[in-house]
Amino acid sequence: MDDKVILIVEDDKAIQNLLKIALKTDYKVDIVNTAELAIDYCVKNIVDLVILDLGLPDKDGMYVLENIRSWTKNLPILILSARSDDTDKVNALDNGANDYIQKPFSTTELLARIRVSLRNNIILEENSIFTNGDLVIDYIAHSIYLSGQEVHFTNFEYKVICLLAQNVGKTLTHNYIISQIWGMGGNDKNGLRVFMAAIRRKIEKNAYCDEIIRTDVGVGYRMNKI
Amino acid sequence: MDDKVILIVEDDKAIQNLLKIALKTDYKVDIVNTAELAIDYCVKNIVDLVILDLGLPDKDGMYVLENIRSWTKNLPILILSARSDDTDKVNALDNGANDYIQKPFSTTELLARIRVSLRNNIILEENSIFTNGDLVIDYIAHSIYLSGQEVHFTNFEYKVICLLAQNVGKTLTHNYIISQIWGMGGNDKNGLRVFMAAIRRKIEKNAYCDEIIRTDVGVGYRMNKI
DNA sequence: AATAAAGTTTAAAAACTTATTAAAAAAAAA
DNA sequence: TTTTTTTTTAATAAGTTTTTAAACTTTATT
């Protein structure tokens, strides 16, 4: 389960339940009912978002907000409050709240606003890196490394390598490779051979990856798992 | 002047004025009154935040939202609308709006919510100063230094450099760069080449950053980490 | 082992992409 | 307005990639 974790800080049982029901299909939900417990929970657990009621029994919700913000700017906090006063809203928002939702609230709107906050918080570092022995392909950067050195491959060479890499261990027929690289029209086996030679030359010159690309006579080519 | 620029997309003169008065002390404000002009403005200018009314004379505000979101996720958009329907709110928020404020609204709350969106966006940009070898970009001041000297880059040149800088080490395709800089409509590879030449001329003239911008023939451009 | 079929390599020609320049058009500033 | 700057368009030179074709090598079959 890789669901996001939402912490609800709320002492009113009715609203606790309402929120739990609204959120539980999309998120993992935990509930605490005091300021003290809220801070403690956030320090000790991985939380993706906090829904914070301002009216808590022990301390004001603003205290929780300020405390959390003193050690992380990266955790989205949504204030839920009956207070409709402008001052409260501005205060909360200026102290680091990501949104301020007034009671009574619509759960569909709340859900949408949760999605906004989680979306804004994404710090995405997609990790699509392929490794096979001394060969490393960084699909996002569009670059290939051999023995740790970046080596330049032309666009078509790159496409052929990626295709083989995405099918490690499987032999791809000439026609399949040609159709993937040149489209349906292409039918030049000789051309493909020239590219394979160029690719092999670069690999063999830059890394010890013996037999990483193998010829299946009469069938096609395959990349072996090293 | 290093004020943030806010674009107001609104056709009602009264609200235009109200907003202008509320915002002008803290921001540089520009106003357009149609969807067409809004998109055009965002493509051609540096904008830090958009306040978007959904009820526009030519096209629905949602069209503007979707268009802008198709080429940048990094520009905060606040929806301002008389529509109180949950569906509208959820729709806008799920299509990339950062907030949804219902008319009639409190200007102090609006201002607080603007601050939230701008604040979140800075966190997204990580730090405001980018350094790579002899190249320094100050995102907040909108200025670029080469070997410690400030060098003037035009608006489009600046956008291209920032885009490459934000993706150091990754090759960005021509079409991706074009869509980010000129919006969906743009499709002028030649134009991009002219800009790249201008950028390179300035970099090479002012700093020793050999090969900082690399061409990936048939693919695009990339900024290398020096 | 001889032969045919399939694969590899090389290098030059052709096709295509990119860099650079300059002038026209558009936009911004004075 | 005029002037200046920026952006777009267009043309050509320079550079890179892809294709083609021929000589050479390996593999499979008789």
Side-chain angles (χ1 to χ4, degrees):
Chain A
M1 177 133 79
D2 64 316
D3 278 350
K4 298 269 181 186
V5 177
I6 294 184
L7 177 69
I8 296 171
V9 187
E10 168 68 73
D11 62 318
D12 180 315
K13 289 263 185 240
I15 297 177
Q16 278 183 11
N17 271 328
L18 180 70
L19 288 172
K20 177 125 198 176
I21 290 163
L23 298 174
K24 72 175 182 200
T25 46
D26 296 320
Y27 308 100
K28 185 175 176 311
V29 179
D30 269 319
I31 302 180
V32 296
N33 50 24
T34 69
E36 226 41 84
L37 288 171
I39 292 166
D40 192 58
Y41 186 101
C42 289
V43 170
K44 293 183 180 157
N45 299 277
I46 292 169
V47 187
D48 296 291
L49 185 140
V50 176
I51 296 177
L52 175 63
D53 188 355
L54 286 189
L56 296 171
D58 54 336
K59 283 197 167 118
D60 193 87
M62 285 300 293
Y63 171 81
V64 178
L65 175 64
E66 283 165 32
N67 182 293
I68 294 176
R69 272 292 167 272
S70 72
W71 52 270
T72 178
K73 308 255 184 287
N74 224 24
L75 168 61
I77 301 175
L78 269 64
I79 303 294
L80 201 60
S81 171
R83 305 180 199 167
S84 66
D85 197 14
D86 259 19
T87 326
D88 287 312
K89 287 188 190 175
V90 173
N91 240 319
L93 293 169
D94 279 347
N95 277 293
N98 294 68
D99 209 336
Y100 190 106
I101 298 156
Q102 209 174 297
K103 296 181 190 173
F105 55 92
S106 129
T107 50
T108 55
E109 183 182 345
L110 172 69
L111 283 166
R113 286 183 180 274
I114 288 171
R115 287 194 291 274
V116 171
S117 285
L118 288 173
R119 185 174 71 206
N120 282 338
N121 208 44
I122 289 173
I123 296 161
L124 29 42
E125 196 38 67
E126 295 171 76
N127 206 30
S128 52
I129 290 186
F130 166 90
T131 306
N132 187 17
D134 268 352
L135 168 70
V136 175
I137 304 175
D138 183 335
Y139 292 122
I140 288 176
H142 206 273
S143 49
I144 293 182
Y145 296 83
L146 291 167
S147 308
Q149 272 316 107
E150 181 169 1
V151 177
H152 173 72
F153 284 75
T154 72
N155 198 14
F156 276 30
E157 291 167 359
Y158 178 81
K159 287 187 186 175
V160 173
I161 292 200
C162 289
L163 190 62
L164 291 167
Q166 274 152 10
N167 295 279
V168 173
K170 296 179 199 161
T171 298
L172 305 181
T173 65
H174 300 120
N175 285 336
Y176 177 74
I177 299 172
I178 290 165
S179 74
Q180 292 294 306
I181 307 299
W182 283 270
M184 282 299 114
N187 71 331
D188 182 8
K189 281 193 195 176
N190 183 37
L192 174 58
R193 292 191 184 115
V194 173
F195 276 99
M196 296 309 300
I199 289 168
R200 281 171 160 157
R201 188 167 55 241
K202 288 180 185 176
I203 290 180
E204 275 151 31
K205 186 180 167 195
N206 290 283
Y208 183 71
C209 286
D210 202 26
E211 276 281 297
I212 194 173
I213 289 175
R214 203 177 97 175
T215 304
D216 234 333
V217 176
V219 186
Y221 294 95
R222 102 156 85 154
M223 181 181 289
N224 280 320
K225 182 99 202 95
I226 298 290
Chain B
M1 174 136 75
D2 67 310
D3 278 351
K4 298 271 183 185
V5 177
I6 294 185
L7 177 69
I8 297 172
V9 187
E10 168 67 72
D11 62 317
D12 182 315
K13 289 261 184 246
I15 298 176
Q16 277 183 12
N17 272 326
L18 180 69
L19 289 171
K20 177 125 199 176
I21 290 162
L23 298 174
K24 73 176 178 199
T25 47
D26 296 320
Y27 308 100
K28 185 176 173 313
V29 179
D30 269 315
I31 303 180
V32 295
N33 51 26
T34 70
E36 224 44 81
L37 289 171
I39 292 167
D40 192 59
Y41 185 100
C42 291
V43 169
K44 293 186 179 154
N45 299 278
I46 292 167
V47 187
D48 296 291
L49 185 142
V50 175
I51 296 178
L52 175 63
D53 187 354
L54 286 189
L56 295 172
D58 55 336
K59 282 197 169 116
D60 194 87
M62 284 301 292
Y63 171 80
V64 178
L65 174 65
E66 284 167 30
N67 181 294
I68 293 175
R69 272 294 167 271
S70 72
W71 54 270
T72 179
K73 309 261 183 281
N74 225 22
L75 167 61
I77 301 176
L78 270 64
I79 304 292
L80 201 61
S81 171
R83 305 180 198 165
S84 66
D85 198 13
D86 260 19
T87 325
D88 286 312
K89 287 188 191 175
V90 172
N91 238 320
L93 293 169
D94 279 347
N95 276 293
N98 294 67
D99 208 336
Y100 190 107
I101 297 155
Q102 209 175 297
K103 297 180 189 174
F105 55 92
S106 129
T107 50
T108 53
E109 182 182 347
L110 173 68
L111 282 166
R113 286 184 180 272
I114 287 171
R115 287 192 292 275
V116 171
S117 284
L118 289 173
R119 184 176 72 206
N120 281 337
N121 208 48
I122 284 170
I123 291 168
L124 204 91
E125 276 174 21
E126 280 305 301
N127 40 45
S128 56
I129 294 201
F130 165 90
T131 307
N132 188 18
D134 269 352
L135 168 70
V136 175
I137 303 174
D138 183 335
Y139 291 124
I140 289 177
H142 280 301
S143 48
I144 293 182
Y145 298 82
L146 291 166
S147 307
Q149 274 313 108
E150 180 167 1
V151 176
H152 171 74
F153 284 76
T154 72
N155 197 9
F156 276 27
E157 290 167 359
Y158 178 81
K159 284 191 184 182
V160 173
I161 292 200
C162 289
L163 190 62
L164 291 168
Q166 275 153 10
N167 295 280
V168 173
K170 297 177 192 168
T171 297
L172 304 181
T173 65
H174 300 119
N175 286 337
Y176 178 74
I177 298 172
I178 289 166
S179 73
Q180 293 290 305
I181 307 299
W182 284 272
M184 279 298 107
N187 71 331
D188 183 7
K189 281 193 196 177
N190 184 35
L192 174 60
R193 290 190 188 115
V194 174
F195 276 99
M196 295 308 302
I199 289 168
R200 280 172 161 156
R201 191 165 52 242
K202 286 180 186 177
I203 289 180
E204 276 153 30
K205 186 179 166 196
N206 290 284
Y208 184 70
C209 287
D210 202 27
E211 274 280 298
I212 194 174
I213 290 175
R214 197 179 97 173
T215 303
D216 233 332
V217 176
V219 186
Y221 294 94
R222 101 153 85 158
M223 182 181 289
N224 279 319
K225 182 99 202 95
I226 299 291

